[in-house]
């Protein structure tokens, strides 16, 4: 198959997407019809040989929806002509996206018309990882999950053998608006094992700010006068309205930006000052900034007096340990005078100064303490819950939608290993000090393959998640998936993880479904909804409908197993009928009704029917929208009058239980974690002789591995390259575009070289999300290098989050 799209024409709204070939069913194993059902394909079973997505001037339907191409969820208006989506335009009514839809958002149209997308339910017929499946009906797929096949056991066999231990099944999910729907299935099923993307993403950032300030705040980049952006590459990692708000005012145009990064990125190029810090030493940098502010008494004394807990103890810790700029200079590679100046300039502009919290994965093993130190430093200037600083914002309420959380007597607790008698100052768990709601993916996986679980976990349900690409040490993830008795994946694309599934349930793309209504907090809070734009192609379904069918198949048979092994249920049956007791365990209950009906109720129950109708039509709603919303110019809109914006909702008071900034948390000491941010010698990562420290990151045109097969985005960035210092490349005889192999203790990958002076001599970097191994991905297959195939599976000690930047690698030209 070939897909030819002109990027220029695409962005102008005049695209012709051609799918060559008589059928959209691939001849390769994944879509092989050799074992397919004899049932005739439905009318939507194939993409026509030619789909014209050229925007016309005739009659069209416009549908308000929300983008799914990144985490920002910008509002869009889809233009539909003759049942085909021909254009995605920004929706000007959404305060969060401010009439903006980036190239990645525009490319969302390719997701629905990607010829490689999953089209039908499938059951594995080959060995795990081979990608050999047969096409089946939905009922056959559901039956296979319940009863198994000759290749794998089903839920009935697993739960019978495990005596109804519902925790013998793992549930995992990626980020998305329908994650809530899938989690309802997990809760109703009764398992205790839930893993989401947090420990591979924002866990330490959210937790560090959470325990210090009571929440993970937003940054008012539009009104800040001074910004320290450390380890975040907003100019090219995520192009959103707040990104634009920031960079339109740098370089002497109203806000001073200091970029702290080991690489000279596009953010550094747009900054007023670039500080080329040594990777993993940001904590020393922040402690030195704090030293300057404390010793020179530059902090906001009134704010500190009113809203700080443990200030004197923390101040004594910083000063006594002599965290001076001169001390930090030896660790970070920065000049002491630059640290002094940054600290003084920050406080001179406070409270309209921001140490940007970041929205990236864990850099180093000290990341939790780094985020704590950042939050405390920010608060020293009083820039909490205030215009131009970090803000809490408001959030509009939504009505309730009842789920189901039955109590299964035989269900075990989460599969973690608690220490029997932990000593004072020692973690209570083998893996980390604190087990969060999202768990630690790496720790869980490693314990599973090493047979260190407290009980047997036999299978997993995986929704919109690709652990084969998203988790360090890809080889171990493959080992985990092969070891699982039953793997069920719900996805839109034939990802690397799908290749290891036993049953594949194809979800429709975000433009083909309505998702749960969502409230977006901030300075200008609003409620937005993703409306279905067109009917799903092929035999794909929204996850809600998938779970409706699945639970209808498995609910009663699994309850029969519960009746055999659950003494509480047996006791209840002595006093109540089977129907009455079953009602407490009916897995279908959370999925009754349509998503549209649920969304209407959740809005109408709080704001009335008219508000719900407005939301469905406009895609956006907030109180007084009809009065507040105004178009000021072609691309400028008012959402709230200035006096109504929620720059401050607590008068600067933190959201912790004490209402104060927590400098010292003594309970952490009981878990073997420093009670306040401190520098430890072991934080100073050593680059071995002849090797390089590997850094990884994101790019604005791709979202992790989720968009790796998007043909339109490949026109913007065709592959990833490894950044290597020009002088080191010269020594190795490596030139631009040369293919190199990057290897570590974990594995190896290959990609092209980009020699440059924009990175230090002992460091290399490449973008995450490339190098998939699934042969069913035309554009993504073996395109570039997979960072997680070489990143070692290290975790930080507090929450067990993946440490992404503490791997030494070797490079050789091939």
């Amino acid at each position: 198959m070939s897909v030819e799209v002109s990027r220029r024409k695409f962005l102008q709204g005049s695209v012709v997407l051609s799918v060559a070939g008589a059928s959209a069913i691939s001849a390769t194993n994944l879509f092989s019809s050799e074992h397919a059902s004899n049932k005739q394909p439905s009318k939507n079973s194939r993409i026509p040989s030619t789909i014209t997505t050229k925007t016309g001037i005739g009659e069209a339907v416009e549908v308000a929806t929300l983008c799914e191409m990144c985490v920002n969820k910008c509002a869009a208006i889809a233009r539909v002509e003759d049942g085909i989506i021909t254009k995605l335009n920004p929706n000007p009514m959404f305060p969060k996206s401010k009439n903006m839809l980036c190239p990645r958002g525009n490319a969302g149209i390719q997701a629905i018309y990607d010829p490689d997308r999953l089209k039908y339910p499938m059951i594995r017929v080959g060995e795990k990882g081979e990608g050999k499946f047969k096409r089946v009906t939905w009922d056959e797929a559901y039956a296979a999950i319940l009863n198994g096949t000759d290749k794998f056991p089903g839920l009935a066999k697993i739960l019978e053998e495990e005596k109804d231990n519902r925790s013998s099944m793992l549930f995992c999910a990626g980020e998305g608006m329908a994650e809530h729907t899938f989690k309802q299935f997990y809760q109703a099923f009764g398992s205790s094992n839930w893993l989401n993307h947090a420990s591979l993403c924002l866990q330490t950032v959210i937790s560090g700010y959470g325990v210090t300030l009571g929440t993970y705040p937003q940054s008012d980049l539009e009104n800040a006068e001074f910004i320290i952006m450390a380890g975040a590459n907003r100019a090219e990692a995520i192009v959103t309205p707040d990104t634009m708000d920031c960079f339109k005012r740098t370089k002497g145009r109203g806000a001073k930006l200091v970029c702290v990064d080991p690489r000279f990125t596009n953010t550094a190029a747009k900054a007023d000052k670039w500080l080329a810090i040594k990777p993993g030493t940001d904590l020393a940098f922040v402690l030195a900034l704090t030293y300057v502010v404390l010793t020179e008494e530059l902090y906001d004394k009134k704010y500190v007096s009113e809203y700080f807990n443990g200030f004197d103890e923390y101040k004594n810790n910083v000063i006594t340990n002599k965290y001076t700029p001169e001390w930090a200079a030896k660790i970070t590679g920065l000049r002491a005078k630059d640290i002094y100046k940054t600290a003084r300039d920050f406080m001179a502009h406070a409270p309209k100064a921001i140490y940007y919290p970041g929205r990236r994965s864990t850099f180093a093993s000290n990341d939790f303490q780094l985020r704590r130190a950042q939050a405390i430093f920010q608060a020293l200037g009083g820039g909490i819950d205030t215009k131009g600083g970090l803000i809490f914002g408001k959030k509009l309420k939504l009505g309730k939608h009842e789920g189901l959380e039955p109590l299964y007597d035989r269900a075990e607790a989460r599969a973690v290993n608690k220490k029997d008698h932990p000593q004072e100052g020692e973690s209570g768990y083998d893996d980390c000090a604190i087990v969060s709601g999202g768990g630690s993916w790496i720790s869980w996986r490693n314990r599973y393959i090493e047979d260190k679980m407290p009980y047997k976990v036999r299978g997993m349900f995986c929704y919109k998640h690709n652990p084969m690409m998203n988790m360090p040490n890809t080889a171990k993830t493959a080992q985990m998936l092969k070891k699982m008795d039953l793997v069920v994946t719900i996805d839109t694309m034939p990802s690397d993880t799908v290749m290891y599934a036993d049953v594949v349930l194809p979800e429709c793309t975000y433009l083909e479904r309505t998702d749960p209504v969502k409230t977006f907090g901030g300075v200008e809070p609003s409620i937005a909804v993703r409306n279905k734009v067109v009917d799903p192609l092929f035999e794909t379904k929204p996850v809600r409908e998938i779970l409706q069918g699945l639970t209808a198949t498995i609910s009663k048979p699994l309850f029969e197993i519960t009746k055999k092994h659950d003494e509480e249920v047996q006791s209840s049956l002595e006093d109540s009928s089977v129907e009455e007791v079953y009602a407490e365990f009916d897995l279908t209950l959370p999925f009754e009704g349509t998503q549209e009906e649920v969304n209407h109720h959740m809005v109408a129950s709080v704001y009335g029917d008219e508000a719900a109708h407005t939301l469905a039509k406009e895609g956006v709603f907030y109180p007084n929208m009809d009065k507040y919303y105004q178009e000021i110019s072609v691309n400028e809109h008012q959402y709230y009058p200035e006096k109504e914006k929620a720059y401050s909702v607590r008068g600067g008071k933190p959201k912790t239980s004490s209402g104060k900034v927590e400098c010292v948390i003594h309970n952490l000491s009981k878990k073997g974690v420093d009670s306040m941010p401190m520098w430890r010698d072991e934080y100073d990562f050593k680059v071995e002789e002849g090797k390089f420290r590997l850094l990884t990151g994101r790019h604005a045109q791709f979202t992790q591995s989720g968009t790796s097969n998007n043909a339109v985005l490949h026109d913007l960035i065709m592959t990833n390259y490894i950044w290597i210092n020009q002088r080191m490349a010269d020594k190795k005889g490596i030139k631009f575009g040369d293919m190199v192999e990057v290897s570590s203790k974990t594995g190896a990958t290959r990609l092209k070289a980009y020699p440059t002076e924009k990175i230090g001599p002992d460091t290399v970097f490449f973008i995450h999300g490339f190098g998939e191994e699934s042969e069913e991905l035309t554009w993504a297959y073996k395109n570039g290098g997979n960072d997680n195939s070489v990143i070692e599976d290290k975790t930080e000690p507090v929450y067990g989050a993946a440490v992404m930047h503490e791997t030494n690698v070797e490079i050789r030209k091939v």
Side-chain angles (χ1 to χ4, degrees):
M1 295 182 183
S2 63
V3 181
E4 298 179 1
V5 181
S6 162
R7 178 172 67 92
R8 180 184 303 172
K9 289 184 178 180
F10 181 85
L11 296 178
Q12 291 174 344
S14 56
V15 179
V16 176
L17 182 144
S18 299
V19 182
S23 171
I25 303 176
S26 169
T28 56
N29 290 327
L30 181 61
F31 296 104
S32 174
S33 58
E34 180 181 350
H35 303 283
S37 164
N38 292 325
K39 177 183 174 183
Q40 290 295 314
S42 69
K43 64 179 180 180
N44 278 337
S45 66
R46 62 180 60 191
I47 297 175
S49 59
T50 299
I51 290 179
T52 300
T53 57
K54 181 177 180 180
T55 302
I57 58 174
E59 185 177 347
V61 175
E62 292 191 335
V63 182
T65 190
L66 288 176
C67 186
E68 181 82 341
M69 296 297 283
C70 83
V71 300
N72 207 57
K73 307 294 181 289
C74 294
I77 297 175
R79 180 179 173 89
V80 183
E81 302 178 52
D82 295 326
I84 302 296
I85 303 172
T86 61
K87 187 72 168 68
L88 295 174
N89 293 309
N91 184 346
M93 301 189 74
F94 191 31
K96 191 171 190 284
S97 54
K98 298 181 179 178
N99 199 33
M100 178 176 170
L101 196 65
C102 73
R104 179 164 41 172
N106 273 276
I109 200 170
Q110 172 66 10
I112 183 173
Y113 300 125
D114 190 329
D116 293 337
R117 61 178 289 187
L118 293 171
K119 303 175 179 68
Y120 317 103
M122 294 179 294
I123 295 175
R124 177 171 65 85
V125 294
E127 297 304 311
K128 275 201 176 174
E130 278 191 308
K132 292 183 178 180
F133 299 88
K134 72 173 181 179
R135 173 184 167 187
V136 296
T137 66
W138 279 100
D139 286 343
E140 288 170 335
Y142 296 147
I145 292 171
L146 176 63
N147 300 314
T149 70
D150 61 340
K151 288 288 186 179
F152 55 87
L155 286 174
K157 179 178 174 63
I158 290 171
L159 290 180
E160 183 68 69
E161 292 176 351
E162 300 305 323
K163 303 187 186 304
D164 202 40
N165 174 16
R166 296 299 179 110
S167 297
S168 59
M169 294 299 295
L170 164 70
F171 291 76
C172 60
E175 187 276 333
M177 292 177 69
E179 180 184 353
H180 166 75
T181 304
F182 180 72
K183 195 166 187 178
Q184 287 183 312
F185 174 52
Y186 148 74
Q187 292 166 336
F189 188 89
S191 174
S192 299
N193 286 307
W194 170 263
L195 292 168
N196 67 5
H197 54 282
S199 65
L200 306 174
C201 189
L202 285 169
Q203 181 67 71
T204 54
V205 183
I206 293 173
S207 300
Y209 277 83
V211 299
T212 309
L213 301 179
T215 188
Y216 173 57
Q218 297 180 20
S219 300
D220 184 14
L221 298 175
E222 185 176 8
N223 294 295
E225 296 176 356
F226 190 93
I227 303 163
I228 300 174
M229 194 164 284
N233 186 15
R234 288 299 297 263
E236 56 186 315
I238 183 166
V239 180
T240 55
D242 54 341
T243 297
M244 308 304 290
D245 289 338
C246 175
F247 292 111
K248 71 185 181 184
R249 298 189 305 115
T250 61
K251 305 291 260 184
R253 292 172 291 182
K256 185 170 184 179
L257 175 66
V258 175
C259 176
V260 185
D261 201 299
R263 297 187 301 131
F264 187 75
T265 63
N266 283 350
T267 300
K270 297 178 185 302
D272 299 273
K273 181 72 175 180
W274 172 47
L275 300 180
I277 196 168
K278 178 183 175 183
T281 65
D282 293 62
L283 175 57
F285 173 67
V286 180
L287 289 171
L289 294 177
T290 306
Y291 180 93
V292 175
V293 170
L294 293 176
T295 55
E296 297 183 7
E297 298 189 354
L298 303 176
Y299 55 91
D300 185 329
K301 295 182 176 62
K302 183 176 183 299
Y303 186 87
V304 168
S305 175
E306 189 170 357
Y307 292 124
F308 266 62
N309 267 343
F311 172 73
D312 290 336
E313 189 175 351
Y314 185 58
K315 177 180 179 181
N316 182 63
N317 168 65
V318 172
I319 295 176
T320 301
N321 280 303
K322 298 181 180 179
Y323 293 142
T324 65
E326 289 77 13
W327 162 83
K330 297 175 183 177
I331 297 172
T332 64
L334 303 177
R335 296 184 299 180
K337 69 176 185 178
D338 287 333
I339 300 175
Y340 278 109
K341 181 171 175 51
T342 302
R344 292 164 182 164
D345 287 352
F346 185 95
M347 290 301 162
H349 290 90
K352 289 190 174 184
I354 293 174
Y355 198 117
Y356 183 66
R359 52 191 299 171
R360 269 213 52 191
S361 54
T362 299
F363 297 127
S365 57
N366 60 40
D367 208 85
F368 172 74
Q369 296 294 6
L370 164 63
R371 309 304 178 173
R372 291 248 300 129
Q374 289 179 194
I376 295 170
F377 177 75
Q378 173 77 35
L380 286 172
I384 304 295
D385 187 37
T386 187
K387 185 175 182 178
L390 298 185
I391 55 173
F392 300 146
K394 288 183 179 178
K395 204 168 191 178
L396 301 179
K397 293 182 179 179
L398 287 172
K400 300 291 184 181
H401 173 58
E402 293 187 9
L404 179 74
E405 292 191 55
L407 297 176
Y408 291 90
D409 189 46
R410 302 286 299 179
E412 296 278 1
R414 185 196 288 264
V416 294
N417 291 328
K418 293 183 179 180
K419 295 178 181 176
D420 293 332
H421 303 288
Q423 301 298 311
E424 180 74 16
E426 183 182 43
S427 171
Y429 300 94
D430 284 349
D431 310 315
C432 51
I434 302 168
V435 177
S436 67
S440 169
W441 238 124
I442 288 180
S443 299
W444 198 99
R445 178 200 64 189
N446 289 357
R447 276 187 283 107
Y448 175 78
I449 62 179
E450 294 165 11
D451 292 322
K452 293 180 178 178
M453 289 292 188
Y455 52 83
K456 287 184 180 179
V457 179
R458 303 276 299 276
M460 62 186 284
F461 284 88
C462 183
Y463 172 60
K464 197 179 178 288
H465 196 35
N466 189 6
M468 278 292 292
M469 285 292 293
N470 298 343
M471 195 178 351
N473 200 329
T474 304
K476 282 189 178 180
T477 305
Q479 187 179 349
M480 177 194 77
L481 292 170
K482 285 182 178 180
K483 186 177 178 181
M484 288 281 183
D485 286 341
L486 174 64
V487 176
V488 179
T489 59
I490 304 174
D491 213 327
T492 60
M493 297 297 295
S495 69
D496 284 10
T497 300
V498 167
M499 294 299 103
Y500 288 83
D502 297 297
V503 182
V504 180
L505 305 178
E507 185 186 27
C508 58
T509 66
Y510 72 94
L511 293 170
E512 300 166 291
R513 65 177 191 254
T514 297
D515 276 342
V517 63
K518 182 176 175 62
T519 178
F520 292 83
V523 170
E524 300 175 298
S526 63
I527 295 169
V529 68
R530 172 176 293 137
N531 288 313
K532 181 178 75 171
V533 178
V534 294
D535 289 334
L537 286 170
F538 308 102
E539 294 177 12
T540 63
K541 296 182 180 183
V543 68
R544 183 180 183 85
E545 291 183 22
I546 291 173
L547 296 177
Q548 283 174 340
L550 176 59
T551 54
T553 300
I554 69 174
S555 185
K556 287 185 177 179
L558 296 190
F559 180 68
E560 292 300 317
I561 296 172
T562 295
K563 283 165 55 180
K564 292 182 185 179
H565 301 285
D566 195 314
E567 293 180 1
E568 291 292 330
V569 168
Q570 294 167 2
S571 177
S572 297
L573 287 170
E574 295 176 2
D575 303 316
S576 306
S577 68
V578 173
E579 291 76 16
E580 289 174 319
V581 177
Y582 173 65
E584 300 177 24
F585 298 86
D586 185 354
L587 301 182
T588 67
L589 293 178
F591 310 107
E592 289 182 342
T594 67
Q595 189 64 63
E596 289 82 359
E597 291 169 340
V598 172
N599 289 350
H600 184 95
H601 166 74
M602 292 181 71
V603 177
S605 62
V606 179
Y607 304 100
D609 283 335
E610 187 177 346
H613 290 305
T614 298
L615 175 64
K617 177 184 177 183
E618 306 291 352
V620 182
F621 167 79
Y622 54 92
N624 298 311
M625 184 169 74
D626 56 340
K627 182 172 64 174
Y628 291 165
Y629 176 77
Q630 295 178 23
E631 181 178 336
I632 298 172
S633 64
V634 174
N635 199 35
E636 186 178 3
H637 301 79
Q638 173 188 284
Y639 303 99
Y640 284 76
E642 191 68 16
K643 65 178 182 178
E644 299 292 338
K645 294 180 181 180
Y647 290 117
S648 181
V649 294
R650 295 171 59 87
K653 184 179 180 180
K655 284 192 170 185
T656 54
S657 58
S658 66
K660 297 191 176 185
V661 177
E662 299 293 353
C663 295
V664 185
I665 303 176
H666 292 291
N667 281 339
L668 289 175
S669 297
K670 298 176 183 178
K671 301 176 184 294
V673 179
D674 287 333
S675 61
M676 64 188 103
M678 301 177 66
W679 181 261
R680 301 283 181 181
D681 289 342
E682 58 264 31
Y683 294 157
D684 196 5
F685 181 87
K686 303 297 182 185
V687 178
E688 299 170 16
E689 184 70 27
K691 296 185 179 182
F692 303 85
R693 183 175 189 163
L694 174 63
L695 309 183
T696 184
R698 310 289 188 252
H699 194 281
Q701 310 314 332
F702 282 95
T703 303
Q704 287 82 22
S705 63
T707 57
S708 62
N709 202 63
N710 192 295
V712 176
L713 295 179
H714 274 280
D715 199 30
L716 300 177
I717 172 171
M718 299 191 71
T719 188
N720 59 348
Y721 286 74
I722 185 165
W723 288 39
I724 181 173
N725 181 269
Q726 181 69 64
R727 286 159 288 163
M728 301 305 294
D730 291 343
K731 288 182 180 179
K732 291 179 173 290
I734 296 172
K735 295 181 174 57
F736 175 79
D738 284 349
M739 186 64 69
V740 299
E741 181 179 83
V742 184
S743 61
S744 69
K745 298 175 182 176
T746 298
T749 192
R750 292 185 176 188
L751 71 167
K752 294 179 179 179
Y754 172 56
T756 176
E757 289 291 353
K758 298 177 182 178
I759 196 167
D762 62 352
T763 309
V764 292
F765 164 89
F766 60 95
I767 297 168
H768 168 73
F770 287 80
E772 294 224 34
E773 294 291 328
S774 170
E775 294 183 13
E776 304 307 326
L777 298 170
T778 301
W779 289 84
Y781 176 60
K782 290 189 179 298
N783 178 29
N786 175 11
D787 54 349
N788 278 324
S789 65
V790 294
I791 296 176
E792 295 179 26
D793 47 326
K794 298 179 180 179
T795 59
E796 56 86 26
V798 186
Y799 288 92
V803 174
M804 307 300 287
H805 290 174
E806 291 190 357
T807 297
N808 280 319
V809 299
E810 296 182 72
I811 298 178
R812 68 179 183 89
K813 183 178 176 179
V814 293

